[in-house]
Amino acid sequence: LSRMLASTASLRLTARRACAQASCSSLRSLSSSCLGWVLSQGRHAASSKLAFSRSYPASFELLGQGIRNLSSPGKVSFTIIDPLEAPEGKKIEANIGDSILDIAQKNDLSLEGACEGTLACSTCHCILPSDLFQEIDQPTEEELDLLDITVGLTETSRLGCQVKVDERFEGKTIKLPNEFHNFQ
């Protein structure tokens, strides 16, 4: 038990040092998340360095080596053009796995989402670039039914509540329509 606690303390110290050495905000965020992982795992982290290395495969080691130009894991940057709030486009940094609806609302853009993402309205209608539209999962029948009643429908229209952001969104531009109607 004492060896296990010593290993936990060692991992915590290593994570804290990496966090303290981080000079840029994205690196600090990454090292903080490593520290959070160590603290949340407690004794289990000490008993299984393999589990730790699987959770943070290379990033923790890179931190220890002092690499400074590492971007935060699980983030992607893209632009949303909102005719009401950001007609010139707003650069967004978002977590991978978040929906476009959630991201737009967190960034004070005018994507309503009247049904709160339950696939019961079309007020989170957005327009994707054609290459991105082709790459991501295609809409379900339920989504297509709601898109049929959407104002300003295009060939690459999707409901923002149904589109989860991933690495393919990096550098892309998503447009919000000029108007919408709530037919709920």
Side-chain angles (χ1 to χ4, degrees):
L1 180 63
S2 64
R3 204 170 357 138
M4 199 180 311
L5 290 175
S7 294
T8 301
S10 174
L11 284 173
R12 286 180 181 171
L13 180 61
T14 304
R16 282 194 179 111
R17 283 184 183 150
C19 189
Q21 291 173 358
S23 61
C24 69
S25 61
S26 62
L27 189 62
R28 191 177 312 273
S29 170
L30 174 62
S31 59
S32 294
S33 66
C34 291
L35 176 60
W37 184 89
V38 170
L39 295 175
S40 71
Q41 297 300 306
R43 288 187 212 143
H44 301 294
S47 64
S48 178
K49 288 185 182 178
L50 178 61
F52 182 82
S53 66
R54 284 187 181 149
S55 296
Y56 288 93
S59 53
F60 192 75
E61 285 183 29
L62 292 174
L63 283 170
Q65 295 170 14
I67 293 179
R68 299 284 184 240
N69 296 325
L70 189 65
S71 63
S72 297
K75 298 268 188 189
V76 64
S77 295
F78 59 95
T79 301
I80 296 180
I81 296 175
D82 179 348
L84 299 176
E85 301 296 330
E88 70 289 343
K90 184 173 186 177
K91 185 121 173 135
I92 306 285
E93 183 176 69
N95 293 322
I96 290 176
D98 284 353
S99 72
I100 292 177
L101 173 62
D102 291 339
I103 293 164
Q105 289 179 343
K106 286 178 191 171
N107 286 278
D108 300 318
L109 298 174
S110 63
L111 204 57
E112 182 180 346
C115 73
E116 299 179 0
T118 60
L119 199 55
C121 74
S122 60
T123 59
C124 62
H125 170 221
C126 60
I127 303 164
L128 303 178
S130 58
D131 60 332
L132 181 60
F133 181 85
Q134 297 300 322
E135 290 177 22
I136 65 172
D137 293 338
Q138 295 302 301
T140 63
E141 285 299 317
E142 293 84 7
E143 183 180 352
L144 290 172
D145 289 344
L146 289 169
L147 285 169
D148 285 342
I149 61 170
T150 301
V151 175
L153 185 66
T154 71
E155 290 182 8
T156 62
S157 290
R158 291 293 304 268
L159 296 180
C161 66
Q162 298 301 301
V163 179
K164 305 292 185 205
V165 171
D166 64 22
E167 295 86 2
R168 297 173 286 192
F169 281 72
E170 185 67 42
K172 303 291 184 181
T173 299
I174 292 153
K175 297 177 185 173
L176 304 185
N178 292 329
E179 62 178 308
F180 66 87
H181 296 281
N182 187 355
F183 294 115
Q184 186 177 12

